[in-house]
Amino acid sequence: MATTISIRDIAAHVGEVVTVRGWVYDRTDKGKLQFIQVRDGSGIVQCVAYGPGMDPAQFEAAGRLTQESSLIITGTVKENPKAKKSLPVGYEIDAQTVEVVQMAVDYPITPKEHGVEFLMDNRHLWLRSQRQWAIMRIRATITRALTDWLDDHGYLRVDTPIITPAAGEETTTLFEIDYHGDPAFLAQTGQLYNEANMMAFGKVYAFSPSFRAEKSKTRRHLQEFWHLEPEAAFLSLEGVMEVEEGMISYAVERLLDKHRQELEIIERDISKVENIKAPFARISYDDAIKRLGELREKTDDPEQKELLKIEWGEDFGSPHETALAESFDRPVFVYHYPTAVKAFYMQPVEGRPEVCRSVDLLAPEGYGEICGGSERIHDAALIEQRVSTIGIPREAYAWYLDLRKYGSVPHGGFGLGLERVVTWLCGLPHVRESVPYARMLSRNYP
Ligand code: 4AD
């Protein structure tokens, strides 16, 4: 009996008769020879079917195999440096038997170029392509590395609810649902619950989907994204930056260690990823405004001059974030934003309440904000006053206000948008390819 293997383990089976089970990725007909590229989800292997050496009916069926037909092939594993399409490269199988499980009919995604909307309509099938295979593997490794870093640094994963009675961020992006006759919302963040959990466990993180009814179509915004949110007691703004820097540089190391092949498949400029090393740059909002002014002065491009216009007190748009991060050539922390453009829970800077102890991490190459965090208000009276400005009845926040009554402590945390990080590290043109099924303003299918 031949052993059934995963293609990724093929190197350990040279000279053996093995069985692989999967789908036809591609096929080349050379008369008496059929070259069938078979993928099984773990890799791709070139299988060579030679007519005179095989059962005639099976060879005839092999010659009719269409893209994405499912099949089971048994044969001998050989090394062949010319098997460049195999993954891992350099192996092939001399087929003895080819059993067709199902012949696929008119698979819509052919090797020709397709438009993005067509591919997104067929996302359930597009995921089978090599490029998407590479991106999803990278996504899994980044997720694992980020959470490993937190686990290794004493953070406990404590899950937070998705259906909530209160808003965690701006009320303009809430998805409202009917909770048995009462209004409720899909969570925009796990933060408020993280703050309760932090008081119970010291250092915690939540990792779950967050929902934002974003009305704008951009290449960075999803309606549903995976949010990784650490929170810790006594964590200062500087501490928040250190955690972000530590986690992200560790994830980059793991990515480079494990996925050079995938980065090549997606044609990522690997040197850009290799450049991502701690320490990241740090600049205050005040200085960032000055720097933007200088960049505006320097440019001769009238359009860029217009785009970079900004007054103190305004939030950055993507041209500002892009220009700032480019001028550092690595991720940059911008801290102490104006209080008025940030969320209700952010601690004001002592003696300067018009700015707050907030920090955004901006990625280079135009990818913009990937993390947002802050020190939180821990004073009971101040948080009470801020909650009264949200526009949602106080009762929904009574439990949150309790946290400032029973042993309140300075604390801080942040949220990292997984898709933003994957999009950046993979160098993708749009966030839609960084998640298996993107939920966007005009897309909720498949
Ligand atoms: O800056 P945000 O809104 O911060 C919060 O939600 C905090 N409560 C997090 C915390 O401190 N625990 O979001 C954090 C990150 C952003 O930096 C971005 O990476 C991502 O979440 N994000 C989105 N990603 C994709 N699509 C969207 N619509 C996103 N909105 C935010």
Side-chain angles (χ1 to χ4, degrees):
M1 262 294 273
T3 327
T4 300
I5 63 159
S6 283
I7 294 171
R8 67 167 178 199
D9 300 328
I10 197 161
H13 296 278
V14 175
E16 291 174 25
V17 176
V18 302
T19 297
V20 295
R21 301 182 291 197
W23 298 265
V24 175
Y25 196 60
D26 201 1
R27 180 172 63 83
T28 312
D29 189 334
K30 295 270 184 202
K32 282 187 188 157
L33 284 170
Q34 293 291 338
F35 293 92
I36 311 160
Q37 311 293 333
V38 175
R39 58 166 198 88
D40 72 348
S42 79
I44 297 180
V45 66
Q46 168 164 288
C47 297
V48 187
Y50 177 55
M54 275 181 65
D55 172 74
Q58 285 198 0
F59 184 71
E60 186 274 328
R64 285 188 289 113
L65 279 169
T66 51
Q67 193 187 344
E68 289 307 318
S69 289
S70 42
L71 78 180
I72 300 172
I73 289 191
T74 297
T76 310
V77 177
K78 289 198 343 200
E79 276 181 284
N80 177 2
K82 287 196 204 135
K84 294 257 191 309
K85 287 190 193 158
S86 292
L87 257 182
V89 170
Y91 299 92
E92 66 179 21
I93 292 178
D94 261 352
Q96 294 169 358
T97 61
V98 176
E99 184 190 329
V100 179
V101 178
Q102 195 237 350
M103 201 61 97
V105 184
D106 297 336
Y107 184 68
I109 304 180
T110 57
K112 73 167 192 177
E113 288 276 311
H114 294 284
V116 167
E117 285 309 311
F118 175 84
L119 290 170
M120 287 302 287
D121 284 342
N122 287 287
R123 184 65 173 163
H124 53 300
L125 306 176
W126 190 21
L127 283 173
R128 302 181 190 190
S129 79
Q130 219 177 105
R131 178 179 163 84
Q132 303 310 317
W133 176 85
I135 297 170
M136 290 309 137
R137 287 168 63 85
I138 290 174
R139 177 183 163 109
T141 292
I142 292 172
T143 305
R144 177 99 186 259
L146 293 170
T147 51
D148 277 354
W149 191 96
L150 290 168
D151 293 337
D152 292 346
H153 286 77
Y155 284 76
L156 183 71
R157 177 170 174 169
V158 184
D159 300 324
T160 53
I162 281 176
I163 300 176
T164 65
E169 294 292 322
E170 263 186 279
T171 50
T172 52
T173 62
L174 283 170
F175 274 110
E176 189 170 331
I177 60 167
D178 175 358
Y179 195 71
H180 308 293
D182 285 327
F185 310 104
L186 298 182
Q188 297 165 302
T189 170
Q191 181 196 318
L192 306 193
Y193 295 92
N194 268 345
E195 290 183 63
N197 299 341
M198 160 287 287
M199 301 279 276
F201 305 100
K203 291 157 99 176
V204 296
Y205 68 95
F207 182 50
S208 61
S210 279
F211 303 86
R212 305 274 168 103
E214 307 270 5
K215 305 297 186 304
S216 56
K217 256 191 190 169
T218 76
R219 59 197 187 95
R220 298 176 183 176
H221 288 92
L222 292 165
Q223 307 288 305
E224 174 183 299
F225 66 95
W226 281 78
H227 209 170
L228 180 59
E229 298 180 276
E231 190 79 28
F234 301 102
L235 189 66
S236 65
L237 196 65
E238 186 54 38
V240 166
M241 293 191 244
E242 279 166 15
V243 173
E244 292 181 25
E245 195 173 69
M247 256 169 67
I248 292 173
S249 24
Y250 177 66
V252 168
E253 269 174 44
R254 288 265 291 264
L255 169 62
L256 288 167
D257 199 35
K258 210 172 157 198
H259 290 301
R260 286 191 180 259
Q261 191 175 46
E262 284 79 357
L263 290 167
E264 276 165 26
I265 290 172
I266 60 175
E267 297 176 336
R268 176 61 163 140
D269 178 348
I270 294 182
S271 68
K272 293 250 165 58
V273 184
E274 285 167 338
N275 274 344
I276 308 165
K277 290 200 178 108
F280 300 164
R282 287 157 167 70
I283 183 175
S284 68
Y285 173 88
D286 291 348
D287 288 340
I289 290 285
K290 279 190 212 137
R291 187 176 277 252
L292 286 169
E294 288 159 14
L295 293 171
R296 237 184 121 225
E297 285 289 301
K298 264 198 233 156
T299 179
D300 295 326
D301 176 355
E303 196 184 335
Q304 183 71 353
K305 255 196 208 311
E306 191 54 34
L307 283 173
L308 290 184
K309 255 189 192 166
I310 188 163
E311 297 285 329
W312 194 99
E314 288 173 349
D315 203 358
F316 299 131
S318 29
H320 308 112
E321 291 185 350
T322 302
L324 280 171
E326 260 170 16
S327 77
F328 288 97
D329 194 28
R330 61 166 117 174
V332 52
F333 290 110
V334 182
Y335 58 91
H336 288 184
Y337 279 79
T339 306
V341 299
K342 287 292 181 189
F344 69 91
Y345 50 72
M346 296 193 181
Q347 174 74 17
V349 169
E350 218 178 320
R352 228 192 132 196
E354 69 280 15
V355 287
C356 59
R357 303 277 290 156
S358 55
V359 62
D360 282 357
L361 179 60
L362 312 181
E365 300 176 76
Y367 285 99
E369 183 199 323
I370 48 174
C371 297
S374 69
E375 284 176 21
R376 324 303 194 184
I377 292 172
H378 56 277
D379 177 72
L382 184 55
I383 198 75
E384 178 85 40
Q385 183 267 318
R386 291 289 181 83
V387 163
S388 73
T389 65
I390 299 174
I392 290 177
R394 182 194 180 279
E395 303 85 77
Y397 293 89
W399 66 272
Y400 182 68
L401 297 169
D402 270 356
L403 306 176
R404 273 61 175 177
K405 278 202 294 198
Y406 306 120
S408 188
V409 289
H411 61 285
F414 65 93
L416 170 150
L418 179 65
E419 289 76 14
R420 296 252 180 111
V421 171
V422 172
T423 302
W424 162 49
L425 293 178
C426 290
L428 307 177
H430 194 292
V431 71
R432 66 186 154 223
E433 272 184 279
S434 67
V435 55
Y437 299 95
R439 295 290 169 250
M440 297 183 299
L441 190 56
S442 53
R443 178 170 295 282
N444 187 21
Y445 176 91

